Amino acid sequence: MRLTGYFLLVLSLTYPFNTVFASADDDFKQGVEYVKKEQYKKAIQAFGKAQQQGMKTAALYHNMGVSYFKSGDYTNAYKTFQLLARFPGEKMLAEYNMGLTARQQDNTALATRHFQLVKSQSKNKKLVTLARIQLGEVKLTDPAPVNKGTAYAEFSYGHDNNIAADPDTGAATKLSSTYKDIYVDGQYIVYGTENNGLNVNAAYSSFDYSDYNIYDFDSLAFGVTGNFELGGWQNALKVKSEKTGFGLLDYQRVNQFELDTKKQFANNSRLRLRLRFYDITALNTTYSYLEGSKTRLRLEYKHPAGGGYLKYYVEHEANDRTDTLTTSYSPTRNMFKVYYKHDFSKQLDLRVDASYRVSDYPTKVNPGREDKRQRYGLTLSYNLNDTWKLRGRLEHTDNASTDAALYSYQRDLVAVSVNAGF
């Protein structure tokens, strides 16, 4: 049997628990403690009590199935993993575990069917690799390659029917043009691993309008990121310096500092908190009024939903710019955004997103200003293979401002792109 440490990676990890009923919750937590102590029969009894009191969570069925498997009761292990498979986000893990269980029962044909299903349908590359190991397509002695570097590139071609006059001011020109957008980035792990280590990274982008070069935008950035786990949270500290150009002029140098933390839960949901501080220097006196700082705080929640996932976030932004004698460019902004991604197949997915943002500009000699921006987007993606992806994007923006003459506008973008991750 090829039941080595490869499947222990999947089977032995206990899920975090969700609160249900007080007594059921206590029994579940007791069962988890028994699993940690490898007292699997006692764990089964504790999980059974929690189930009798109405608990029907993925975490319960996963831990109960593992306990049955470890105790050698493969019949009940298989039945329990069948219950786990009813949860869409856990189906592929359950199928893999059913394959392991069937193999222990010497039912090779059934085990092969489960592993083939995981191989063809799972989007988790590690789980696919484990299934291929069990199918004999990958040798256990083959060393796993250590991927220290990754890269991403995207090329887009589109049309903008209302070009932004300045990336920071929010004014629109009522001019339209096709454009080319190029973006590339890469990172290299210089110490440790992706989740616990240090990496250096760089990014370059170029947004080029066909008809109006004075509105082109480009940027070049370099950064360092430290990643570490603490208390069940995945954390990152990032420092980045970015130089940008607008039209034919140098625009800004932005030094960015970021704190990021996120936690994954048993039902594949995720909570994330991110704080960014931007120190902004104008590289041309034309834009000296935009010098200063910007701070953004974001709270994000993501969870599985209907064959895909939903993600929401709220973001608060505070600006402290130099301004001019008559006009403030230091808005306070609050935004809410939601998007839903639906997977039609392993190759095809659709994302729908919507956001609402309110920006308040302080009063100077001129009256203060308030903008209310709505933005809606539709993105269709098709995976050509494991590396290349085609994407189409439609985006509509409607900005209503108390200074309607300059800042009320509508804008539509349409684009097709190809991207690759290496």
Side-chain angles (χ1 to χ4, degrees), residues 287-305:
Y287 303 108
S288 59
Y289 59 91
L290 294 173
E291 283 195 332
S293 65
K294 176 170 62 178
T295 304
R296 284 179 177 169
L297 177 63
R298 177 185 292 187
L299 178 64
E300 175 187 297
Y301 182 68
K302 174 183 174 183
H303 66 86

Side-chain angles (χ1 to χ4, degrees), residues 181-184 203-207 217-221 242 244:
D181 184 15
I182 299 172
Y183 175 84
V184 293
Y204 170 78
S205 66
S206 173
F207 200 98
F217 187 85
D218 63 82
S219 72
L220 179 63
E242 180 181 26
T244 58

